[in-house]
Amino acid sequence: MTTTTWGWLVLLFPLIGSAVISLGFRFWGRTAGWIGTLAIALSFACAVAMLISLQSHGATHRELTSSLWNYDVSTGVDAHMAILVDPISVFMALVVSGVSTLIHLYSISYMKSDRGFARYFAYLNYFVLSMLILVLGGNFVMLIIGWAFVGAASYLLISFWYRRTTATGAGLKAFVINVVGDVGLVLGTFFLFRHTGTVGFLSNFNAIHHVFHTDSTDLVVACLLFLVGAFAKSAQVPLHTWLPDAMEGPTPVSSLIHAATMVTAGVYLIVRLHPLFEMAPTAADVGACIGCATLLIAGSIGVVVTDIKRVIAYSTMSQIGYMIMGASAGAYSAALFHLMTHAFFKALLFMAAGSIIGAMAGNQSLDRMGGFRKALPFTFICFMVGGLALSGIPPFSGWLSKDDIIGYMYHRGGGFFVLGILGEVGAFITGLYTFRMIFRAFWGEPSPEASELEHGHLAHAEVPTNPMTGEEEDTDIGFPGPEHVIAEREWPMRIAMSLLALLAVVGGLIEIPGVDSGITNFLAPAFPHSRLFAQEPSTGSAWVGLIVTPIIGLIGIAIVYRLYVARRGTSARLAERFAPLHNFLVNKWYFDELIDYAVVRPALLIGRVADSVLERIVISGGVTGGVTGVVRAGSATVRRAQTGFLRYYAAAIVLGLSALSLYFLISST
Amino acid sequence: MVFSSILFFIAAIAAISGAIGVVMLRNPFYSVLALVCHLIALAALFMLLRAEFVAAAQVVVYAGAVMVLYVFVVAYVGGGQEYQAGSALRILGPLFALAVAVELCIAMLGTGLSGVSSHGAHYVLGFGTPKQIGRLFLTDYLFAFEVASLLLLVAAVGSVVLARRRRGLEAEEAEDHDFQRRLRQPRPAFTGTMAEAAGLRIAVREIEESGPAVMEQEPALPTTSND
Amino acid sequence: MTIGWYLAVSAIIFSVGAGGVLTRRNPLVVLLCLELMLNAANLALVAFARMWGNEAGQIFALIIMVIAACEVTVGLGLIVAIYRRNLPIDVDELHELHG
């Protein structure tokens, strides 16, 4: 079997899974979950086979394409249905399908009492399919297709509990912002296509050297538009406001889409299009700056948020800021390395959060959690592993990957050095919010639900409510199911979380500076002409960073320990003293309000004006009303001749007859 | 020659005065009689034009059957009142008619048709005889013949349908209670039902009083309504 | 007399009939005037038949007589129906079919 055949099989299994579950959704029952998991597991197996097969090729022959059919004849554009199998896409496919398998397994337990069980797995399989199309696509057309499908899947899954207005509103918000990104992506493709005349990746990369020069305007514009797409998908400032709201979806969805896979699509985009970004340094600089800004902004908001899932969401935003910063600056293997480790520990954190939310009977507020250490031991261990990996504490994987990026930034020097320093600040803030969350949830006085659980009784909500607004709900279809689950009682959840915890611990060991460079060596054949890829900091300077960064992280953890554990109540006093700053952070830097005033209200105004003026007055009144009015007036005028008097009709006939014969008489003379 | 001219003038003057009589006489019965006179004069004219069968048909069919029908109807309907003729057509009507007459005369007589100033084509024996007409009807003009007979059938059926009684005699009314009850039930107005056409009076009430208009029944015989 | 004379008589009778249709208000008399017009046409046709020596005109005249008979039948049926409904026998009063 050729490598690309394995690639097509990787795409085929989620497609079959999604189709099979959708078609039989009425009678699958609980089996739908196992079908979905099996489909993705098979896809992962094929991805592994694809990896092995790829490595059997020589080092310079590891960019393989395969096309199923060609739309060239009908459209005039060389749009193939093609995949590109190279180290980048294989890497992404492995991460996506691997983490997805574990999340599917977790979901079998988590969603078990939900009445939309089969629909959920159909959507989830569809999502994995679209993400794989995105990463395996061999030309811009496939990329755009995957991009759009992923947006659709995200919308479907965020508003999965569709009877909740908060959820549907969040889904709509995510979709609209994603569409902005889609527009950027498509326009960027067009700007590129105008000059290169082709949409394939490899052919574009070959062509740009002839068509563009460094920083030529159209190329910079194209790259900026691609960045717009990347920012929308990866929730970078200013297109980030959808990600916290996207936590309305079920927790496994947040774990898969909004932590491990979809939001990393922006990073993948920049890494895939690295030749373009290397030729347009202006756009790359913009990307790095935005990435850095996001990691600081998101981190600062994460420090004050009280909903546990939103803390993790802002953490995701921040870590992706690292990846975008790194990828824009040229640290491709570092960015992908961090992507991989982040997928592991962030998915783990979300899964653990799902467990503790289950223990709280659906409530997600940190204000009401406390002292779950004894009641949820397994969940506690997972949180600690994930938290330590996230904060970059040795020997966990996050330590190596985060510092890989920061070390590269130092190495590039100039403005990037400053960004590197800011990255260290970000590491400090990461420690702050991560362990704030852990200390508040697991230390201190046990909350009522924790006490109940210590006695072996899982709390159950009398009346199901919306965790954000407190509105009452029921548990029928369109709302979460009546049962809540915790990891300690469900073996699928424990298996998935254990595997991820293991990976979060040891996953970094394949890229230790000076010891081994598993990822860099693996990815090298995909970057044959890159001048930035080969630049690596020396082992010594890398190790300096590797020592400094965890110290900064530990300082952050210590501060938070003092605030929340040693001297409780300090945080409330601090919030009072720095009230304006606290308000500013709690209101998420007022981005939502800014977008509301700048974009949403003008759009609504235009819509209203268009309706009242253009639609009602011009079109209905003027055009259709005018036409019908003219016809009516004309017919009214003509109707006046129909008086109903017989003699007048007869007179008209006689008159007509005489006039006609007069005419003929005259004309015949 | 002279004899035929004299006959022509007598018949023509009779025809024209008959026509004028139809138009000018007030009593419709007298109009009918004037028309009969006109028809017979016309038959004479046809004879002068060697159209023997047509003349005979004119007298038998037209004057004999159609006019008798007219007489019956005039007798049934009555003489009719003296109406006040009030519209502009009282003056314009004769004016238009005069215009038409002048134009027709100019058209027919002022043409270059050579035959107008002749006495007609050479007379062939058997011209206008029933034998000749019959032969033509059954060979060259067969289709017209058949269609004309169909037309007569249709007209006969149509006139029966138009003029039949809608209200039964007293005995019939007393028998069909169910039908009468259904007939007299209130119905929405202006819906074009046969009941509406059969003369049930429509009472339109104000919308404010009681919703859409509903037809009312006339319990007694219908009265003349000249509103 | 030459054919022209007959045609002149036909024209006069036709216009008298037309004037009657326009002037009279009793529908019965209107129908009678219609008969006048039809007869005038008959006369013209028979005159032309004589002019050409072709009986087609007479055939035509006979068909017109059939048609006139049918029309009278239906028209008189209408008038009887109108009379039965107690509506006025006056064409100026019967003007409901208006636009």
Side-chain angles (χ1 to χ4, degrees), chain A residues 67-401:
Chain A
S67 164
L68 273 190
W69 60 77
N70 187 357
Y71 293 104
D72 192 3
V73 173
S74 56
T75 63
V77 176
D78 63 330
H80 299 248
M81 190 178 182
I83 58 171
L84 166 65
V85 178
D86 75 345
I88 301 175
S89 53
V90 169
F91 183 87
M92 293 295 298
L94 282 170
V95 170
V96 168
S97 53
V99 176
S100 302
T101 315
L102 296 172
I103 293 177
H104 274 80
L105 189 60
Y106 177 91
S107 303
I108 296 177
S109 303
Y110 191 83
M111 302 293 288
K112 71 178 182 189
S113 72
D114 196 304
R115 284 198 49 192
F117 190 78
R119 178 169 61 105
Y120 174 84
F121 277 97
Y123 286 166
L124 213 61
N125 269 22
Y126 167 67
F127 167 77
V128 176
L129 169 72
S130 24
M131 190 70 200
L132 288 169
I133 293 177
L134 202 161
V135 300
L136 282 172
N139 53 34
F140 278 101
V141 173
M142 293 298 284
L143 177 74
I144 292 171
I145 290 175
W147 202 269
F149 278 5
V150 166
S154 167
Y155 164 76
L156 288 170
L157 285 163
I158 293 174
S159 26
F160 183 73
W161 289 319
Y162 54 83
R163 284 176 61 200
R164 269 188 191 169
T165 26
T166 45
T168 50
L172 213 57
K173 187 172 179 180
F175 198 73
V176 170
I177 298 182
N178 261 295
V179 165
V180 173
D182 287 353
V183 168
L185 190 63
V186 172
L187 281 178
T189 311
F190 171 68
F191 268 93
L192 202 59
F193 177 77
R194 261 175 75 193
H195 294 273
T196 58
T198 170
V199 292
F201 283 144
L202 294 178
S203 38
N204 260 304
F205 297 159
N206 289 332
I208 53 170
H209 297 284
H210 313 294
V211 178
F212 295 113
H213 54 270
T214 312
D215 255 355
S216 60
T217 324
D218 269 357
L219 184 63
V220 171
V221 170
C223 289
L224 284 174
L225 287 168
F226 287 136
L227 280 179
V228 167
F231 293 159
K233 195 65 80 177
S234 298
Q236 302 296 289
V237 162
L239 298 166
H240 67 283
T241 48
W242 64 272
L243 188 58
D245 288 356
M247 297 299 117
E248 291 284 338
T251 308
V253 165
S254 307
S255 151
L256 178 59
I257 300 185
H258 306 122
T261 45
M262 185 180 97
V263 290
T264 58
V267 182
Y268 165 77
L269 184 71
I270 299 179
V271 173
R272 171 60 78 205
L273 299 178
H274 69 268
L276 277 67
F277 283 95
E278 285 188 11
M279 272 192 88
T282 318
D285 294 344
V286 169
C289 293
I290 300 270
C292 188
T294 307
L295 77 92
L296 291 171
I297 293 175
S300 66
I301 303 178
V303 176
V304 300
V305 179
T306 52
D307 185 309
I308 192 171
K309 280 178 73 174
R310 276 157 180 76
V311 174
I312 310 180
Y314 282 108
S315 163
T316 305
M317 220 189 281
S318 178
Q319 298 305 307
I320 302 215
Y322 272 106
M323 295 179 220
I324 298 254
M325 181 173 76
S328 305
Y332 305 119
S333 71
L336 287 181
F337 180 33
H338 195 54
L339 193 155
M340 180 180 83
T341 59
H342 174 262
F344 298 150
F345 57 70
K346 196 47 67 66
L348 175 67
L349 276 174
F350 265 115
M351 287 184 181
S355 178
I356 194 172
I357 290 171
M360 294 285 294
N363 193 290
Q364 294 174 202
S365 171
L366 278 174
D367 291 336
R368 296 190 34 186
M369 295 181 192
F372 269 101
R373 254 183 314 164
K374 265 209 223 107
L376 294 174
F378 179 77
T379 309
F380 172 62
I381 295 174
C382 290
F383 252 108
M384 287 301 284
V385 168
L388 288 170
L390 176 55
S391 311
I393 308 298
F396 295 90
S397 54
W399 165 56
L400 288 158
S401 60

Side-chain angles (χ1 to χ4, degrees), chain B residues 75-206:
Chain B
Y76 177 60
V77 168
Q81 300 93 328
E82 294 273 338
Y83 292 119
Q84 296 297 320
S87 66
L89 276 182
R90 218 168 17 119
I91 302 174
L92 280 180
L95 214 62
F96 285 165
L98 189 64
V100 168
V102 166
E103 283 182 12
L104 281 175
C105 286
I106 297 175
M108 284 197 273
L109 303 175
T111 63
L113 270 181
S114 57
V116 167
S117 45
S118 75
H119 288 270
H122 183 66
Y123 177 68
V124 174
L125 200 63
F127 177 80
T129 54
K131 175 177 170 188
Q132 195 72 334
I133 302 290
R135 194 177 59 76
L136 278 176
F137 257 133
L138 290 174
T139 53
D140 291 339
Y141 303 104
L142 181 62
F143 184 66
F145 182 58
E146 299 297 337
V147 168
S149 49
L150 190 63
L151 186 63
L152 279 168
L153 176 67
V154 168
V157 171
S159 67
V160 167
V161 166
L162 275 174
R164 68 175 175 186
R165 281 179 190 275
R166 294 303 163 84
R167 296 268 177 84
L169 302 170
E170 289 305 313
E172 288 177 21
E173 272 185 4
E175 283 167 20
D176 200 348
H177 293 298
D178 197 31
F179 172 70
Q180 293 303 321
R181 187 174 42 79
R182 278 190 288 120
L183 195 62
R184 291 176 192 333
Q185 260 172 10
R187 285 193 195 88
F190 308 112
T191 47
T193 55
M194 281 304 282
E196 209 169 286
L200 295 170
R201 290 288 153 248
I202 296 171
V204 176
R205 286 180 242 143
E206 294 295 336

